[in-house]
Amino acid sequence: MSERNHLRRKWFNRLMLVLSGCAAGLAILILALILGYILVHGISYINLNFLTQAAKPVGEAGGGMRNEIIGSLILIGLASILAIPVGLMAGIFVSDFASPKMAATVRFASDILAGVPSIVVGIFAYAILVRPMHSFSALSAGVALAIIMVPIIARTAEESLRLVPNSMREAALALGITRWRAVLSVIVPGALTGIITGVMLSLARVAGETAPLLFTALGSNFGYQGLTKPIGALPLQIYHYALSPYADWQHQAWAAAFLLLLLVLCISILVRWISGRRHA
Amino acid sequence: MATVSDRVRNATTKQDIREVTTHFEGDKGILEVQTLNAWYGKTLAIKDISMSIRSRTITAIIGPSGCGKSTFIRCLNRMHEVSHGGRVSGSVLLDGKDIYARDVDPVTIRQRIGMVFQKPSPFPTMSIFDNVAAGLRLTRLWSRRGDLQEVVERSLRQAALWDEVKDKLNQSGASLSGGQQQRLCIARALAVAPEIILLDEPCSALDPAATLKIEDLMRNLAQEYTIVIVTHNMQQAARVSEWTAFFLLGEMIEYGKTVDIFSRPKDKRTEDYITGRFG
Amino acid sequence: MEYDAATMSPPPVKGRTFGRRRRFGDRIFSNLTLIFALVIVAILLGLVIVLNIEAAPSISKFGISFLGSSSWDVPKESFGALPAIYGTLLTSAIGVLIAVPISLGAAIFLVEMAPSWLRGPCSFLIEMLAAIPSVIIGLWGIYVLAPFMTPIERWLGGHLGFIPIFHGQVFGFSFLTAGVILTLMIIPIITAVSRDAIKAVPDHQREAMLALGATRWETIRRAVLPYCRSGLIGATILGLGRALGETMAVTMVIGNAYKLTPSLFSTGTTISSKIANEFGEASSGLFIASLVELALVLFGVTLLINVVARLLVWRLTAVKEAS
């Protein structure tokens, strides 16, 4: 091997390694910039009025997003009530009761469902709920968000249930415990951290979802008026205000973005912490 | 009771055993295995096993790994059918009633025939107390705390674990040593008040000191319970059991009193195995 | 005796397998979980059926020409999907083209080079980017990225304007800006999946290559990357699927003009942004049906993409389990 060739390879090696380091640096730098910008820019517009007042009509200064904050919480709560039982039970079915064929079918369906663009889910909820009921509604938005949550919960639940060693199942059955009680009292508690992680991940995901709300929740200037009425939500309001020409509204959009991002990041960090402790 | 046990012990031929066991039907915990076969999917794991297991004795099943001894013991409390593809033919009579009869619920059978596995398997999310109480709590709709306390203490005492854990009943079962965990699992099985206890290589994951404790424990338990133990450790079988069955390639080669099996084996293959000539 | 000992075949299933004689509670509970699992399957099927029913008027009116026509005239009720499909494909292509090298480089760095104390925090930060809601990225896009892109687009137009794609007026809101936004949004998923794929390459592959006198880069290039090729392709396709379906951020920076032009600097539209902008106000039946048909096209494409990606990633995990 010639000396020149060797040198060339050595330098090419260094170049490529530096380049991939740069790629990682770039990705992280951009991320840090976006995160930092939103947090720093957003926090400057947060004030008490923003948190406690309702939105004011165009032209009037002040106002806040109290109704939207409450609206978002209601939607997330509603979606959780609908999605957690379905996701959890489906996860239990796949890990503990399904034949291999059924397990593959359900797993496949939930993978596909997880990949459906959220705006398509919004149209689905519109078609099955908004139009028949002749009104945009909190309910339809909750259903749309629940459809997005279900596959995430089902997959993480199934995976963490399968991590519970089979010896636990056998030990329970050998005591003469029936299968369903063994699952509920021994297997599910053993997988609880994983299941909670999955639920929180899905919450972080839907807390910021906007597209499916556009033609289900629609948005509302009044607070919560019932499940069958339109309802405001933080991400929707960010969208509307961001595209508005009024500086005051744009500032509120930033403040709302800060709040939403804070929520989502807190959940993500919590998830990381929980799963980190589990592996430790 | 001792007389029954003695007579059973003295019975050598199958005919004798039948006679004795039918004669003393009041004696609980007699297992009569008849032409038992078990499959995993299409693979026949044990072939045509017939044997009688005597009440209040320790019966050891020995044989090289893969000989079907674990499969066999799992058939005795209907745990084999839990494994994927597990299937059984033949019958196992518990005090004269076939546990594989159509109208028999495996769940009830498992309450009467407890099992302890190779790897200690305390429920990690439960405290020591809850582990022992699990079988009771989860097999009935509700239970009084006071009753549970009594049963938990009695079971832990029977399992010779009470003194070591009485001050930390609320700690997780996973915090115990391997040997303690295994005794916890035995206590857990005892709490359901079974008639028979099956032990599937209960000491293979334990150190010698812990093994010794479990062996002592088994000898004590044998005064009240019928015990069947699977072991690949011949010395262990010789130390604890009164009767020994030698399995090879899914078949029962020889079954007899432990002293006879180890000193005067009838079959050449048994002799080869116990003298260490193969495996 | 229930079987012929000579053939050793299992007896016919007759009340001896688990599940035959089961407690009432067990049967109820397992059927209950089955019902909930079927809900997932039902939602997916319902989605396909409902979209088809809703889009039926448009499908029967325009037929296949819906995909090739570029008119979107509400009063005349003449609808075609071409500009939206073009916009979706173009922005996603830009996104994937920029994101793949960066993500791959980052993944290689994280697995092969980063000191172990740096790995955790870096992975964590990159995953955080995936957690930022799309609408917030869009907000950032309007007020930070679009103004930032304007001078870049102007510079490109000035120096490379003779190429059609770099020709035209510059607004900041454009296919290119939307593509860049998508890049940022799919870097996390591509990085994360490629990182797992690279991590799954067994060490003996690396050692064998190093023992031949290869440099570290040559080891990565010749041994590691080929070994996990299908995983990397899967990662890219998953990123593509995410980009195709992305709605809010793109809607906020693409300018929303329904036109077909080669210029990257032009305002444009994508399938999802078209739906987001107009579905709420659509009144006439055919208008709605056309928007739903757009959604159906999007659904079909992402479905295909996800199935392919899933199969590739499955193959990868199969390799991992085998070794």
Side-chain angles (χ1 to χ4, degrees):
Chain A
M1 213 182 295
S2 77
E3 189 61 22
R4 254 185 69 199
N5 186 28
H6 181 70
L7 263 179
R8 197 179 57 78
R9 285 175 56 208
K10 212 170 99 183
W11 281 104
F12 189 67
N13 177 42
R14 284 203 186 146
L15 176 74
M16 293 312 291
L17 295 185
V18 167
L19 274 182
S20 73
C22 286
L26 184 69
I28 286 160
L29 185 74
I30 295 171
L31 161 74
L33 278 177
I34 298 178
L35 269 181
Y37 188 90
I38 296 165
L39 292 176
V40 170
H41 203 74
I43 199 168
S44 60
Y45 298 115
I46 291 262
N47 54 44
L48 203 60
N49 285 351
F50 173 82
L51 296 174
T52 58
Q53 290 194 354
K56 293 218 167 128
V58 184
E60 274 180 59
M65 291 207 184
R66 187 197 61 203
N67 289 343
E68 284 70 24
I69 295 171
I70 296 171
S72 268
L73 293 178
I74 290 173
L75 289 182
I76 294 172
L78 184 59
S80 306
I81 291 171
L82 295 172
I84 292 174
V86 179
L88 182 57
M89 292 293 266
I92 292 176
F93 174 74
V94 175
S95 79
D96 275 274
F97 291 102
S99 64
K101 219 170 177 178
M102 275 305 286
T105 312
V106 175
R107 213 179 281 141
F108 185 75
S110 87
D111 277 357
I112 297 299
L113 197 57
V116 174
S118 58
I119 191 145
V120 176
V121 173
I123 288 188
F124 178 62
Y126 175 89
I128 61 166
L129 286 169
V130 175
R131 218 176 26 215
M133 294 169 71
H134 300 291
S135 169
F136 296 99
S137 62
L139 179 68
S140 58
V143 169
L145 295 183
I147 292 177
I148 296 170
M149 286 175 81
V150 161
I152 305 176
I153 299 177
R155 274 321 288 270
T156 44
E158 182 220 327
E159 271 158 28
S160 30
L161 285 168
R162 271 193 310 165
L163 283 181
V164 176
N166 234 347
S167 57
M168 290 302 131
R169 292 181 173 84
E170 297 202 330
L173 292 180
L175 285 177
I177 300 173
T178 52
R179 236 161 127 85
W180 70 276
R181 283 194 91 159
V183 167
L184 286 184
S185 315
V186 177
I187 311 301
V188 170
L192 206 57
T193 38
I195 293 170
I196 291 175
T197 307
V199 169
M200 296 205 329
L201 276 178
S202 70
L203 285 180
R205 167 84 194 279
V206 297
E209 274 296 346
T210 318
L213 302 185
L214 290 171
F215 17 88
T216 51
L218 189 70
S220 158
N221 286 327
F222 318 103
Y224 173 71
Q225 291 177 304
L227 285 181
T228 55
K229 293 281 178 301
I231 190 171
L234 270 184
L236 267 181
Q237 203 72 342
I238 294 174
Y239 176 57
H240 291 311
Y241 279 10
L243 298 174
S244 78
Y246 316 110
D248 191 40
W249 279 10
Q250 291 167 7
H251 295 162
Q252 287 199 26
W254 281 107
F258 171 80
L259 205 61
L260 192 56
L261 191 58
L262 200 65
L263 172 76
V264 169
L265 291 187
C266 283
I267 297 178
S268 307
I269 289 168
L270 212 58
V271 164
R272 183 100 178 169
W273 183 69
I274 292 175
S275 53
R277 260 190 2 161
R278 186 170 47 155
H279 294 310
Chain B
M1 277 323 164
T3 47
V4 177
S5 299
D6 284 344
R7 288 191 56 179
V8 174
R9 274 178 213 130
N10 293 332
T12 40
T13 66
K14 213 166 165 181
Q15 201 116 40
D16 283 349
I17 297 162
R18 281 257 171 77
E19 203 172 300
V20 173
T21 49
T22 42
H23 245 270
F24 294 86
E25 265 177 354
D27 208 358
K28 289 277 191 182
I30 300 161
L31 277 176
E32 174 87 31
V33 181
Q34 292 170 345
T35 59
L36 189 74
N37 295 276
W39 289 261
Y40 285 101
K42 297 237 156 196
T43 326
L44 187 60
I46 57 170
K47 292 168 212 167
D48 246 342
I49 310 281
S50 297
M51 69 189 283
S52 294
I53 293 167
R54 289 148 185 81
S55 175
R56 291 162 209 246
T57 53
I58 300 178
T59 304
I61 316 281
I62 59 169
S65 55
C67 68
K69 55 192 194 296
S70 276
T71 309
F72 172 71
I73 199 176
R74 288 169 67 93
C75 290
L76 298 185
N77 69 340
R78 301 198 56 174
M79 283 299 287
H80 176 62
E81 63 208 41
V82 173
S83 8
H84 190 71
R87 201 186 294 170
V88 176
S89 82
S91 46
V92 176
L93 306 183
L94 169 59
D95 298 335
K97 275 205 71 176
D98 186 6
I99 66 170
Y100 282 100
R102 253 170 194 283
D103 59 337
V104 171
D105 184 344
V107 171
T108 349
I109 292 303
R110 292 181 201 129
Q111 286 170 24
R112 295 177 63 190
I113 308 179
M115 186 164 198
V116 174
F117 298 90
Q118 184 170 5
K119 224 180 111 222
S121 53
F123 301 133
T125 51
M126 294 184 190
S127 68
I128 292 172
F129 183 94
D130 289 339
N131 257 291
V132 181
L136 277 187
R137 259 199 196 129
L138 300 176
T139 47
R140 53 200 65 180
L141 283 175
W142 64 278
S143 25
R144 267 213 310 270
R145 178 83 190 173
D147 294 348
L148 284 181
Q149 239 147 10
E150 199 180 298
V151 173
V152 167
E153 180 176 342
R154 199 182 57 223
S155 308
L156 282 170
R157 279 189 195 281
Q158 276 183 305
L161 190 61
W162 175 252
D163 291 333
E164 291 159 64
V165 300
K166 64 180 177 215
D167 299 323
K168 46 179 183 179
L169 290 175
N170 289 319
Q171 287 180 23
S172 160
S175 64
L176 299 174
S177 75
Q180 288 174 323
Q181 286 189 13
Q182 198 60 299
R183 276 179 284 150
L184 178 63
C185 292
I186 294 175
R188 187 174 65 185
L190 293 175
V192 199
E195 294 147 45
I196 299 174
I197 299 170
L198 310 175
L199 299 141
D200 187 0
E201 306 221 18
C203 302
S204 66
L206 304 182
D207 60 73
T211 303
L212 205 63
K213 278 200 165 149
I214 303 265
E215 287 180 8
D216 286 341
L217 174 58
M218 275 190 278
R219 277 186 216 105
N220 284 330
L221 291 175
Q223 292 168 9
E224 274 183 72
Y225 302 91
T226 306
I227 293 181
V228 183
I229 174 175
V230 158
T231 177
H232 61 254
N233 180 335
M234 279 179 286
Q235 287 74 32
Q236 184 169 56
R239 279 195 302 267
V240 300
S241 70
E242 282 172 58
W243 290 79
T244 297
F246 171 61
F247 275 50
L248 185 65
L249 298 172
E251 283 176 277
M252 187 171 74
I253 304 298
E254 194 169 348
Y255 177 41
K257 298 196 87 169
T258 304
V259 271
D260 295 336
I261 293 270
F262 281 95
S263 52
R264 302 178 291 277
K266 294 195 186 84
D267 196 287
K268 176 81 170 63
R269 290 167 291 183
T270 315
E271 192 184 341
D272 285 347
Y273 181 69
I274 58 169
T275 51
R277 242 168 277 167
F278 67 70
Chain C
M1 209 181 302
E2 297 184 7
Y3 78 108
D4 177 5
T7 61
M8 282 185 194
S9 64
V13 185
K14 205 164 64 178
R16 292 294 158 85
T17 49
F18 187 74
R20 266 307 154 112
R21 157 96 188 137
R22 279 200 309 190
R23 290 226 168 177
F24 197 50
D26 271 357
R27 226 172 24 234
I28 292 181
F29 187 72
S30 83
N31 284 335
L32 203 62
T33 60
L34 168 69
I35 290 170
F36 279 105
L38 288 180
V39 167
I40 294 183
V41 181
I43 291 173
L44 190 63
L45 291 178
L47 209 76
V48 175
I49 294 166
V50 167
L51 286 184
N52 273 297
I53 293 175
E54 295 286 316
S58 163
I59 294 172
S60 61
K61 173 104 194 275
F62 303 117
I64 196 79
S65 74
F66 180 77
L67 299 177
S69 152
S70 54
S71 90
W72 194 270
D73 194 326
V74 179
K76 281 191 198 151
E77 297 218 311
S78 148
F79 302 107
L82 192 58
I85 295 174
Y86 170 75
T88 299
L89 295 180
L90 179 61
T91 51
S92 301
I94 297 171
V96 169
L97 277 181
I98 309 178
V100 165
I102 296 178
S103 307
L104 197 56
I108 290 173
F109 177 79
L110 286 177
V111 181
E112 303 282 333
M113 294 153 64
S116 52
W117 57 268
L118 198 60
R119 260 173 227 171
C122 281
S123 301
F124 178 54
L125 272 170
I126 288 179
E127 276 155 31
M128 284 289 107
L129 184 58
I132 304 178
S134 162
V135 72
I136 294 181
I137 301 264
L139 178 70
W140 178 83
I142 295 178
Y143 294 103
V144 182
L145 184 65
F148 178 78
M149 289 301 289
T150 314
I152 294 178
E153 292 184 349
R154 205 167 280 141
W155 184 87
L156 281 172
H159 291 79
L160 301 165
F162 54 90
I163 311 173
I165 60 168
F166 294 130
H167 187 78
Q169 248 199 308
V170 169
F171 304 100
F173 293 89
S174 62
F175 285 120
L176 185 60
T177 308
V180 171
I181 278 261
L182 286 177
T183 303
L184 300 178
M185 301 186 73
I186 63 177
I187 280 179
I189 184 167
I190 303 183
T191 307
V193 179
S194 333
R195 180 197 57 196
D196 294 345
I198 295 174
K199 227 192 245 169
V201 177
D203 268 337
H204 60 77
Q205 292 281 325
R206 296 183 179 86
E207 283 157 12
M209 201 67 194
L210 285 173
L212 291 176
T215 63
R216 273 176 78 187
W217 170 253
E218 284 161 349
T219 306
I220 294 168
R221 175 74 191 77
R222 305 271 169 224
V224 176
L225 297 186
Y227 190 91
C228 59
R229 195 176 47 224
S230 66
L232 300 178
I233 297 171
T236 306
I237 296 179
L238 278 178
L240 180 63
R242 186 70 59 88
L244 291 169
E246 180 46 50
T247 310
M248 298 318 296
V250 172
T251 308
M252 291 163 90
V253 299
I254 201 168
N256 299 307
Y258 207 65
K259 58 186 177 190
L260 206 54
T261 153
S263 169
L264 295 182
F265 302 157
S266 162
T267 53
T269 194
T270 65
I271 295 179
S272 51
S273 68
K274 188 78 184 160
I275 300 171
N277 274 315
E278 300 188 358
F279 195 84
E281 288 125 44
S283 45
S284 92
L286 197 59
F287 187 10
I288 292 183
S290 302
L291 286 168
V292 177
E293 192 177 350
L294 274 181
L296 195 60
V297 171
L298 183 63
F299 177 72
V301 174
T302 48
L303 186 81
L304 189 72
I305 295 271
N306 279 316
V307 170
V308 171
R310 195 58 56 195
L311 290 179
L312 283 169
V313 176
W314 267 347
R315 226 178 67 184
L316 165 90
T317 42
V319 167
K320 195 164 63 179
E321 275 158 17
S323 59

